[in-house]
Amino acid sequence: MRTRTIVDTRRVPHTVDGETLLITEEHTRQIPVPPRDWDHIVWTGALGLIIVGLGIVIVWSTSSIGQLLVRTDIAAPIAFAAATGFSLGWIVCMALEWLARYDPVQIRHPRAAGHVFLAADMAAVCVHGWVADSLKVGIIGAVLSGGAKALWTLALDRQAAPLSARDQQWVMAKRAQIGSRLALGAVRRQLTRAEARAADEEAALRARSDADPDGPDESEDEPDADILPLPPGATTAKDAVRTAWEAGFRDEDKIRRTASKALGRPLSPDTVARYVRALKVGA
């Protein structure tokens, strides 16, 4: 068995002249070395080669399709930027396939879309070869793209562990449960924002009504139970506020509603606050 040496440190007591202190001491130990995981090494190497091949295919396809688009008097930077979309389309779909490798239902859509993007990429490369009087080279470039896609599909099939029917249903139910929680959270945020906007609009309308003392009377379906009726002699705003104060009201909003009801017109909060301050000073 292969082993390797590890040096550890530990704190140990050491006594000199009757005084004991903790010092650092090194000690070595041997631990077994696990054998090489050749399966993992081979998988890592194969995956690295696939990624390198994808890079080569992207460069080839982009170069071919970019030269094809340049023939239509499109600026070279724009043509080559657009050409990357042909390869990146099916490569992004392969990434989505990887994310959905444990869900046989969700993986169908990115796989089908990847085939469509791959077919468009291969067709464009072949067209470039035909236009450039080198159809064989175009076919070779198209085969490279198809081969890269096939290798990735094989690697994905190896990595995706199959799930039993019961396990698959459990995964789908759990995903639906978490998705519902996320959706409800988003709906709650929308409702909170809508409620805040409605409250702001109501506050703005109330402030506008208070600032317009000549406006129409505020409609009330039912009288407030905690507002006492004022005698008809309270004809001025000051008298109405003082009467509400003497009736025992201390909340300025209640005083304003009581005085406004007695006067038959709304009072502004600033007016009520000014009279209330004067009554507090007099008290």
Side-chain angles (χ1 to χ4, degrees):
M1 178 185 295
R2 296 173 55 194
T3 61
R4 62 190 180 95
T5 302
I6 294 181
V7 179
D8 294 331
T9 59
R10 59 185 177 182
R11 303 284 286 177
V12 297
H14 181 66
T15 304
V16 176
D17 294 335
E19 183 178 0
T20 302
L21 299 176
L22 292 177
I23 63 173
T24 301
E25 181 181 69
E26 294 185 352
H27 69 98
T28 60
R29 58 191 178 94
Q30 302 292 326
I31 63 172
V33 178
R36 293 182 180 274
D37 188 353
W38 288 105
D39 290 342
H40 181 71
I41 293 173
V42 172
W43 165 250
T44 303
L47 190 60
L49 292 176
I50 292 174
I51 294 174
V52 172
L54 287 175
I56 295 174
V57 167
I58 291 175
V59 174
W60 183 293
S61 298
T62 302
S63 177
S64 299
I65 301 174
Q67 293 178 16
L68 177 64
L69 296 178
V70 167
R71 292 174 174 267
T72 60
D73 296 332
I74 298 177
I78 299 177
F80 283 93
T84 59
F86 286 83
S87 298
L88 293 180
W90 58 271
I91 290 176
V92 169
C93 289
M94 289 196 309
L96 297 178
E97 287 184 56
W98 176 271
L99 296 176
R101 62 187 181 275
Y102 299 119
D103 193 333
V105 177
Q106 288 190 357
I107 201 174
R108 296 174 184 173
H109 299 292
R111 178 164 292 178
H115 290 155
V116 173
F117 281 111
L118 177 62
D121 180 88
M122 296 174 65
V125 173
C126 288
V127 170
H128 172 260
W130 175 68
V131 171
D133 295 331
S134 182
L135 182 58
K136 294 181 180 180
V137 176
I139 294 175
I140 292 174
V143 171
L144 287 177
S145 297
K149 170 67 174 176
L151 289 176
W152 178 262
T153 302
L154 292 174
L156 185 63
D157 291 340
R158 179 195 177 279
Q159 187 66 18
L163 298 178
S164 65
R166 297 173 64 89
D167 290 340
Q168 185 63 46
Q169 292 182 24
W170 185 93
V171 170
M172 295 177 65
K174 191 65 176 179
R175 182 179 289 118
Q177 180 182 9
I178 297 175
S180 299
R181 292 171 56 190
L182 293 174
L184 289 176
V187 170
R188 291 191 186 98
R189 288 193 297 270
Q190 294 175 3
L191 294 177
T192 301
R193 289 193 296 267
E195 182 67 25
R197 289 196 301 269
D200 292 340
E201 291 180 0
E202 292 174 355
L205 292 175
R206 285 196 300 268
R208 181 177 179 182
S209 176
D210 293 339
D212 185 11
D214 297 331
D217 296 340
E218 295 180 356
S219 61
E220 297 182 359
D221 296 336
E222 296 180 358
D224 295 331
D226 57 348
I227 296 179
L228 298 178
L230 292 178
T235 56
T236 66
K238 183 176 181 180
D239 293 337
V241 172
R242 184 178 67 253
T243 304
W245 178 272
E246 293 175 353
F249 293 105
R250 293 297 180 266
D251 183 72
E252 292 186 5
D253 186 60
K254 290 184 178 181
I255 294 174
R256 183 177 62 83
R257 288 187 293 163
T258 304
S260 299
K261 184 177 179 181
L263 291 174
R265 60 181 177 84
L267 288 176
S268 66
D270 295 338
T271 301
V272 175
R274 183 172 67 254
Y275 289 143
V276 169
R277 286 196 298 270
L279 291 171
K280 288 181 180 179
V281 173

